[in-house]
DNA sequence: GTGGTCTAGACCACA
DNA sequence: GTGGTCTAGACCACG
């Protein structure tokens, strides 16, 4: 379970944060469930504790997690997270649509083709 | 014609490169047309020549322009560029679709809503 | 009677101490009344005895209780406590007023609005 | 101009951030004015560049500042900052009022006395 | 044991 | 020169 990709352009701390956001939003991790300790996760990913700490701090700032000194980090039960996430993704989609329109292509067509290809990838 | 936005999170050289990609792909700049010289454009944008240089290098590396030593930079014939650009955007769309599916949302629904909002933004 | 809130940003030992300060100052606990034993309270709150110990130490240090070796912890006569507490709160208020003035806002106005909102919260 | 107080319980990076928030909100620093570079400020305060970096990152996250790679950090022109700040301070005031009421004291009286004392401090 | 902060020093991308 | 990320190692507060 080593989800750091050094070829990924995102910084490591953000890859970690994004990974846990996904685990939380998809319900793989349940409210009040404890995240691995900073040091332990750092060992597992063979990265530096500071880097994990930074990821956890970001998760706490954005409301995905609450942290109790001396005890650990825990998943926050927050119903608003999903809608927040949806708005964020919709924003990304809007940006992409505008980029497509700016070069004179048809977003609808590209979307349809991309859906097709994504489905194919899934079958692999 | 000052298209640098310091509040934009993209680095400056990329804003410049992106701007010229768009001008080329939309046909505003025609094949073999000459781009402004590095120094001149740097003056116009009141930025560092190194930055313009980096933008032009990116454009050349991605096949949008060709450079002739001692003469300048020129737009490459854009036959293949359009399809290449389309593939690139389709790739981005596919990544976004996968990200949406990963958190259990419906890409079709989000796409429709984003199209709606993009149209609204245009009307402003 | 479980007054620990893990979402509260204050450390647990302080939540416990604050709770007892309030009980003492409001007269719910009377002078020379005995506090629960460290072990018993730790059980009740399902927390670590060290934590309760630290809370009691803080209470003793600040003069709210006195401890008798081998017997337990007892509420101190609260004659002087009230005025001490008042000075402490007045100090906090003064700091906040200065902070408000430092950014050019009007403390009187903010105070009035905050009183209003606090009253509203109470009605819920 | 050394505004770090090692006796202050707030972490250093936050003292720095708070200081600049105040400078920005009071208009001492104007929109698009450049903040000292990370390294330079670290020297001035004889602290570590990482610590300053952390302060600047917080300022950017909270919308007080924008950062341009290779150029520096600049004050953001944001009209909503003042109202945001006001809400934050009102929240603090509300918390304090509730704390005062919890021990059975009169907020209005304490506020008046604190205002008095704050005025006296100013005359020194 | 836990998280949070800080220092020192390195490397990278960018202008 | 600028900001941003990462490592290594230390210290503190908390449970």
């Amino acid at each position: 379970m080593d989800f750091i990709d050094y070829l990924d352009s995102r910084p490591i701390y953000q890859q970690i944060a994004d990974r846990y956001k996904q685990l939380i939003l998809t319900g793989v991790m349940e409210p009040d469930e404890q995240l691995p300790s900073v040091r332990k996760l750092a060992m597992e990913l063979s990265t530096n504790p500071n880097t994990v700490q930074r990821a956890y701090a970001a998760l706490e700032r954005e409301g995905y997690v609450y942290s109790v000194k001396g005890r650990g980090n825990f998943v926050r039960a927050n119903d608003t997270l999903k809608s927040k996430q949806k708005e964020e993704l919709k924003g990304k989609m809007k940006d992409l649509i505008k980029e497509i329109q700016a070069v004179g292509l048809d977003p609808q067509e590209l979307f349809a083709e991309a859906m097709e290809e994504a489905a194919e990838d899934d079958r692999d």
Side-chain angles (χ1 to χ4, degrees), chain A residues 16-76:
Chain A
I16 298 174
D18 284 351
R19 176 70 175 156
Y20 275 96
K21 279 186 202 176
Q22 193 192 327
L23 290 175
I24 291 168
L25 287 168
T26 53
V28 175
M29 294 203 70
E30 303 194 340
D32 294 314
E33 186 175 342
Q34 184 166 9
L35 277 68
S37 88
V38 169
R39 291 161 173 80
K40 194 176 154 222
L41 185 56
M43 289 276 292
E44 255 180 57
L45 303 178
S46 38
T47 186
N48 190 291
N50 272 331
T51 305
V52 176
Q53 173 70 20
R54 198 168 173 182
Y56 281 10
L59 286 171
E60 188 182 13
R61 256 198 328 268
E62 297 174 34
Y64 289 87
V65 141
Y66 63 91
S67 138
V68 187
K69 256 198 203 172
R71 293 185 54 111
N73 288 274
F74 303 85
V75 175
R76 189 186 282 272

Side-chain angles (χ1 to χ4, degrees), chain A residues 76-122:
Chain A
R76 189 186 282 272
N78 192 332
D79 308 330
T80 65
L81 279 182
K82 281 226 151 188
S83 70
K84 188 179 151 194
Q85 169 82 346
K86 189 179 165 184
E87 282 313 306
E88 203 180 304
L89 287 169
K90 201 196 290 182
K92 278 194 195 178
M93 181 62 90
K94 207 165 73 176
D95 289 348
L96 185 50
I97 286 172
K98 284 180 181 170
E99 199 180 337
I100 292 170
Q101 290 172 331
V103 298
L105 289 171
D106 177 19
Q108 184 67 58
E109 184 195 330
L110 236 70
F111 176 74
E113 293 180 21
M115 281 293 281
E116 189 85 16
E117 291 183 19
E120 280 170 28
D121 289 0
D122 265 4

